[in-house]
Amino acid sequence: MQGTGAVSPLQGQTVTVEGVVTADWREGGFNGFVLQDPAGDPADGASDAVFVWGNRARAEIGQSVRVTGAVSEYNGLTEITVDALEVLPASLGEVAPVTDWAAIATPEGKEAHESELVLLNDQLTVTDNYDANYYGTFTLAYGDEPLRQPTADIDPHDTAAIAAATADNTARSILLDDAKSTNYNTASNRSIPFAYLTPETPVSVGSHVDFVQPFVLDYRYDAWSLQPTTPVTGDGSAHVTFSDVRAANAAREDVGGDLAIATFNVLNYFPTTAEEYVELGLGSCTTYNDRDGNPISANDCGDTGPRGAATTESFERQETKIVNAISALDASIVSLEEIENSAHFGKDRDFAVATLVAALNEKDGAGVWAYAPSPAAVPASEDVIRNAFIYRTADVERVGESVILTDEPAFSNARQPLFQAFKAVGADDADAFLVAANHFKSKGSGTDDGTGQGNANPDRVAQAPALVAFTAEVQAATGIEPVFLAGDFNAYAAEDPARVIEAGGYTNLNYALNGGEATYNYDGLNGSLDHVFANAEALELVTGVDVWQINAQEQIAFEYSRYNYNATLLYDESVFRASDHNPIVVGLDLPEQEQPEEPGQPGTHPGQGHGVDKGDGHPGKGKGVDKGEDHPGKGWKKRV
């Protein structure tokens, strides 16, 4: 009946078919069941199953039935609208599911097995979990890794290679659905608990999938999917289970060294809430509200209004997660992006970063954290979000004042780079190094130049050389050579802006020393928008690099901004989904400082910073750096 093409040759005709019921979807919105012939030939190129639809489509899984009805194509899915149904007295046999991904890997293979049972032995991995918050849907990738953003590894101007990578991603992906038509995010459905997602089953990107029961290979909503044989309630563990990736990310990996620097996009950290903004008469706001109508986060407060929490209570939830994450990051210096520029609200420019430091000190102890004050001269026009530095006072101290790029047209639509020099506590100023906090123009708006690098690529391409040039000016003014360029560059590692920076003499540390771990997941594709670049002098200080996988791969329903959106409350105070970007942390081995000799122990060094015994040397801690050898992999390389 299905035929070997995309459309049944019997479309519009009334047929009578027999088969075994393999899925019961009378509930959940699909309004039907699936019928499969257990005696069909799996290799003949024609499916042996069909979806049976209608108010009469009622049968139990395992029953052998005879169905009469009209054949139709509904948005690409062949179905029978049932007119008559008879339960057969004798069983037609057992249905053997498809077990090999290769059988359904191609569009032709999927058509040949449409609506058939599938129980794959192959490894599949969650590569996108965003739509689970809406439709109970995940995107799975064939293999043991999530899909990669092509321009994270491939020159975007190599159109043939990009096309091949894109085609491979498409071929390796398939949806996992919940056998429901429910949108959990509508007001009328928020009282219905999520499918699959629970506090104990976060279903992170990177989770491996273990199918407990067969699924149906289904086509609806313009996509191929694996549907459970009955609608999912709760965690769905009767149908499928997911591996836990959080346990391995409970703490960041050891990166070695005396201290560490990090970059962290803090997801529009705004102590000035939408509620306060309105109360102060600064403007009007619309908000995103929870299922009880309580404001949770700012929706639209205008271009210069708040972008974070809607109320003080909501801000406290956001701040708790961010503070816990930064504290556990165990970095000596943190470059912050997407933090409120409080000058826009009639407050001191540093009000927001001071608020964050106060919260960190409340958790970690008085005086543990400090921030780099704003420069004396700031740009005449700035965004409502800015860059900032915070640091652990026991590890490092500032050398000189911070400096920000001013009067540079390339940054008229982005956050201007902020530089600060640091040194280890007690070190000579001659051993200082520079860190720059950066946040280039986003991909969300602007001109698309057609190169596959998102909106506003020309803007970011202009910002990259402006940053490199300003860095040279800061180096000349301070006499400090080692420099780290950190932050959210809104460009994947092989895209033009990142390549311009590397051409200026900088190494992308995450790629050179850490395999290019993802800091972001967009539309099911892993890649890094955040980077730490080091010049040659800074590279000599590096002991290791890690991307702490706590945010980008986590389901958005765990975020403060989705608090009480669904009957299943997923928000908690853990570090997971504190933001939408993963932080990068870099270990540094700084020059040894002369220490007073202790009586009877000449020449010993008691160790400074985070537990490194300088007298014992460095046994290669961290990821991929042997300080006794040259640094492999400097610069950008095409990864295949």
Side-chain angles (χ1 to χ4, degrees):
M1 191 208 78
Q2 284 268 19
T4 57
V7 177
S8 170
L10 301 179
Q11 182 177 199
Q13 300 182 34
T14 297
V15 299
T16 297
V17 296
E18 294 181 351
V20 175
V21 177
T22 59
D24 181 0
W25 296 336
R26 71 185 75 184
E27 305 292 340
F30 288 3
N31 195 30
F33 62 84
V34 179
L35 194 66
Q36 184 166 346
D37 178 7
D41 182 357
D44 64 1
S47 173
D48 299 313
V50 67
F51 176 57
V52 180
W53 179 85
N55 292 333
R56 296 183 181 181
R58 302 293 182 263
E60 304 295 330
I61 292 176
Q63 287 182 329
S64 296
V65 300
R66 179 181 296 121
V67 171
T68 299
V71 178
S72 63
E73 296 288 334
Y74 183 76
N75 293 332
L77 176 68
T78 303
E79 63 183 32
I80 296 175
T81 301
V82 62
D83 290 326
L85 184 150
E86 176 186 355
V87 177
L88 300 178
S91 172
L92 295 175
E94 297 289 330
V95 174
V98 175
T99 59
D100 187 358
W101 170 264
I104 61 170
T106 64
E108 295 78 14
K110 291 181 176 67
E111 284 288 350
H113 296 284
E114 179 185 292
S115 296
E116 291 185 3
L117 278 185
V118 173
L119 183 59
L120 296 174
N121 293 325
D122 306 84
Q123 182 64 70
L124 272 72
T125 301
V126 176
T127 194
D128 191 5
N129 56 17
Y130 184 82
D131 280 343
N133 182 58
Y134 293 90
Y135 309 113
T137 304
F138 300 87
T139 303
L140 308 183
Y142 171 68
D144 59 4
E145 295 287 341
L147 302 177
R148 290 282 289 184
Q149 173 67 241
T151 57
D153 306 301
I154 302 170
D155 183 346
H157 302 284
D158 187 347
T159 55
I162 291 291
T166 301
D168 181 65
N169 282 343
T170 300
R172 291 173 51 217
S173 63
I174 193 167
L175 298 183
L176 174 71
D177 208 349
D178 62 352
K180 297 178 186 176
S181 58
T182 304
N183 181 346
Y184 297 94
N185 204 40
T186 62
S188 59
N189 290 334
R190 287 183 173 183
S191 61
I192 303 173
F194 287 129
Y196 299 114
L197 295 173
T198 73
E200 294 75 31
T201 55
V203 195
S204 309
V205 169
S207 294
H208 290 165
V209 179
D210 183 16
F211 295 102
V212 179
Q213 299 288 340
F215 279 61
V216 173
L217 179 61
D218 186 52
Y219 188 87
R220 63 186 72 224
Y221 310 121
D222 298 320
W224 289 100
S225 63
L226 299 174
Q227 299 281 2
T229 56
T230 58
V232 168
T233 57
D235 64 7
S237 57
H239 302 275
V240 63
T241 60
F242 305 90
S243 68
D244 176 18
V245 302
R246 284 189 172 185
N249 290 302
R252 69 162 172 86
E253 294 194 24
D254 183 6
V255 293
D258 307 301
L259 53 84
I261 63 173
T263 180
F264 201 147
N265 180 312
V266 290
L267 187 65
N268 286 315
Y269 175 89
F270 272 69
T272 303
T273 65
E275 181 179 61
E276 180 187 359
Y277 182 72
V278 173
E279 289 176 350
L280 292 174
L282 298 176
S284 61
C285 286
T286 59
T287 58
Y288 294 109
N289 302 332
D290 70 8
R291 63 195 185 103
D292 295 324
N294 301 309
I296 299 297
S297 60
N299 176 13
D300 184 2
C301 298
D303 291 341
T304 58
R307 300 179 183 176
T311 65
T312 299
E313 184 179 11
S314 186
F315 171 72
E316 288 172 352
R317 295 190 198 103
Q318 178 190 22
E319 183 179 67
T320 295
K321 293 185 78 73
I322 290 173
V323 165
N324 288 341
I326 292 176
S327 175
L329 184 61
D330 196 25
S332 308
I333 302 164
V334 183
S335 159
L336 301 175
E337 299 83 47
E338 240 175 70
I339 189 168
E340 170 186 301
N341 185 343
S342 303
H344 278 272
F345 310 119
K347 303 176 182 180
D348 185 276
R349 187 176 184 273
D350 293 333
F351 171 76
V353 67
T355 299
L356 178 57
V357 165
L360 282 163
N361 284 335
E362 183 177 352
K363 175 178 175 59
D364 291 340
V368 170
W369 290 91
Y371 65 89
S374 288
V378 298
S381 177
E382 290 188 281
D383 197 352
V384 72
I385 53 175
R386 53 165 285 202
N387 304 318
F389 287 108
I390 59 175
Y391 60 96
R392 291 180 182 266
T393 58
D395 293 349
V396 296
E397 52 189 299
R398 292 181 291 112
V399 177
E401 302 303 317
S402 62
V403 60
I404 192 169
L405 177 58
T406 59
D407 302 322
E408 170 52 63
F411 282 92
S412 62
N413 61 357
R415 282 59 53 180
Q416 292 86 349
L418 176 70
F419 280 78
Q420 177 65 61
F422 294 94
K423 65 178 181 178
V425 168
D428 293 334
D429 285 0
D431 293 324
F433 55 92
L434 288 163
V435 187
N438 297 276
H439 192 184
F440 281 15
K441 175 70 180 75
S442 75
K443 296 177 181 286
S445 62
T447 301
D448 184 348
D449 63 3
T451 62
Q453 301 177 72
N455 293 327
N457 184 58
D459 298 316
R460 291 186 294 277
V461 170
Q463 288 157 12
L467 169 62
V468 171
F470 184 55
T471 302
E473 293 177 15
V474 176
Q475 288 176 296
T478 61
I480 299 172
E481 287 300 322
V483 59
F484 298 92
L485 307 179
D488 176 2
F489 292 84
N490 274 309
Y492 293 106
E495 292 182 354
D496 295 338
R499 292 161 66 88
V500 168
I501 293 171
E502 290 191 287
Y506 293 86
T507 296
N508 187 327
L509 296 179
N510 182 30
Y511 270 68
L513 305 176
N514 190 41
E517 275 190 287
T519 70
Y520 200 69
N521 182 280
Y522 179 74
D523 203 20
L525 302 177
N526 268 355
S528 292
L529 295 175
D530 311 82
H531 309 286
V532 179
F533 297 96
N535 68 354
E537 292 81 3
L539 184 59
E540 291 302 316
L541 305 176
V542 176
T543 57
V545 182
D546 184 41
V547 175
W548 193 17
Q549 303 286 324
I550 57 171
N551 294 324
Q553 77 278 14
E554 295 299 324
Q555 222 290 322
I556 194 172
F558 288 87
E559 197 175 283
Y560 91 94
S561 65
R562 299 304 193 273
Y563 183 85
N564 195 33
Y565 265 46
N566 183 265
T568 303
L569 182 61
L570 295 179
Y571 171 87
D572 59 27
E573 295 184 354
S574 74
V575 301
F576 296 104
R577 198 64 192 194
S579 177
D580 54 347
H581 291 243
N582 293 326
I584 304 176
V585 61
V586 177
L588 303 183
D589 181 10
L590 300 182
E592 295 185 9
Q593 304 304 312
E594 292 294 332
Q595 301 291 329
E597 293 184 2
E598 297 181 16
Q601 299 184 36
T604 59
H605 297 276
Q608 300 173 356
H610 296 285
V612 176
D613 185 343
K614 300 293 289 185
D616 291 338
H618 296 276
K621 292 183 179 180
K623 301 173 77 175
V625 179
D626 183 344
K627 297 296 287 185
E629 300 178 358
D630 291 336
H631 292 278
K634 293 182 181 180
W636 178 85
K637 297 192 297 182
K638 178 176 174 180
R639 298 173 68 247
V640 294

